[in-house]
Amino acid sequence: MTDPYVKIDIVNEVGYIEFFHPAHNSLPGNLLAELAQTITDAGTNNAIKVVVLKSGKDRTFCAGASFKELININDEATGKVFFSGFANVINAMRKCPKFIIGRIQGKTVGGGVGLAASTDYCMASKYASIKLSELNIGIGPFVVGPAIERKIGLSAMSQIAIDANSFYPAEWAQQKGLFTHVYESNEALDEAVKNTAEHLCTYNVEAMLEMKKIFWQHTDHWDDLLAERAQISGRLVLSDFTKEKLKGFK
């Protein structure tokens, strides 16, 4: 079994950031912190013009946060820190001065949908169905909600947040604006991601920076907003309802 990791490879001025965890690419706090820092570092690395965010292996893109850590939360402060993990990654992506292309090769759940929504140009395979399952255990997609709503709108975000039992197909996500393209295979996806990223490297870096600023207008308050959302989740995860739900997963 492969050990968890976050790594970056630079090829033809493209920084490929890859994360992996054997539990369906669910991300514990230490990997989320490493991912946020890797994204931040890529933003200041002059050898990189465009960033690609991807996960290891061919199946699940990201199953959200670590369930093992979730079920061990026993106080609000720990809960806030736990739910701040994805908040910090989303804010790192938002502040990164370079375009981030998402490569979504498989199912993505909860925080993983938030990562996909925080990329600037998101490409997927037909296997990349999405789900917001948080309401099932008595919390909600509070931290990732702003990123998802920004990309697909309040109506579509509300639909998948309320329908917490269902996976929505990649074609639905494309129709709503989360994915730009959906490919028939991961091989076709990889080729398209590579071609798109390398073509973007031929563009004016300053122009891309200014475009990114425009894309993320009106989000300067997200450091505070996502921290507030993490606090809500950290409180709800201690509720009797959620504690009872989580017993079934221990």
Side-chain angles (χ1 to χ4, degrees):
M1 187 174 281
T2 308
D3 291 332
Y5 63 79
V6 174
K7 67 178 183 178
I8 183 167
D9 295 310
I10 303 173
V11 182
N12 295 332
E13 299 181 304
V14 179
Y16 292 89
I17 297 175
E18 179 176 310
F19 60 86
F20 172 76
H21 193 283
H24 303 286
N25 285 326
S26 59
L27 296 174
N30 65 317
L31 274 192
L32 286 167
E34 190 175 350
L35 181 58
Q37 188 60 54
T38 302
I39 292 167
T40 299
D41 292 344
T44 60
N45 188 333
N46 292 331
I48 297 171
K49 290 185 177 178
V50 175
V51 174
V52 170
L53 181 67
K54 58 188 292 189
S55 63
K57 307 299 182 183
D58 291 329
R59 298 184 68 94
T60 308
F61 169 70
C62 178
S66 167
F67 212 82
K68 183 177 179 181
E69 288 187 356
L70 177 65
I71 62 178
N72 287 319
I73 295 172
N74 292 308
D75 62 85
E76 284 193 30
T78 303
K80 182 180 180 182
V81 170
F82 173 83
F83 288 103
S84 293
F86 272 97
N88 294 335
V89 176
I90 290 170
N91 278 320
M93 296 171 73
R94 173 177 68 85
K95 296 174 185 176
C96 179
K98 294 158 186 177
F99 286 157
I100 300 176
I101 297 174
R103 181 256 191 194
I104 317 299
Q105 83 283 7
K107 288 183 176 180
T108 184
V109 180
V113 183
L115 294 185
S118 301
T119 63
D120 300 299
Y121 195 85
C122 199
M123 307 165 77
S125 80
K126 66 181 181 181
Y127 308 108
S129 54
I130 65 171
K131 180 181 183 181
L132 293 181
S133 59
E134 288 89 342
L135 200 58
N136 270 321
I137 58 170
I139 54 177
F142 298 110
V143 169
V144 298
I148 298 169
E149 180 184 341
R150 168 185 168 269
K151 189 58 69 80
I152 68 176
L154 180 60
S155 177
M157 193 276 285
S158 300
Q159 181 178 341
I160 58 175
I162 291 171
D163 187 10
N165 289 314
S166 299
F167 273 101
Y168 282 71
E171 291 75 12
W172 183 91
Q174 183 183 19
Q175 290 167 5
K176 299 302 180 183
L178 179 61
F179 299 150
T180 58
H181 299 84
V182 173
Y183 297 90
E184 285 296 308
S185 68
N186 288 336
E187 291 77 16
L189 170 63
D190 286 336
E191 182 179 1
V193 167
K194 175 180 180 293
N195 291 340
T196 300
E198 291 185 1
H199 183 68
L200 282 173
C201 289
T202 68
Y203 291 172
N204 184 342
V205 172
E206 292 183 16
M208 289 190 286
L209 168 61
E210 295 302 325
M211 286 297 298
K212 175 122 185 186
K213 289 179 183 177
I214 291 171
F215 293 158
W216 286 92
Q217 275 184 327
H218 313 303
T219 63
D220 290 343
H221 63 297
W222 277 24
D223 283 337
D224 294 330
L225 174 64
L226 299 193
E228 292 168 6
R229 297 291 186 87
Q231 190 165 10
I232 294 171
S233 294
R235 171 172 51 83
L236 288 173
V237 78
L238 299 175
S239 68
D240 292 339
F241 181 96
T242 298
K243 284 296 185 186
E244 193 62 32
K245 280 280 189 176
L246 292 177
K247 283 181 182 178
F249 297 97
K250 287 188 177 180

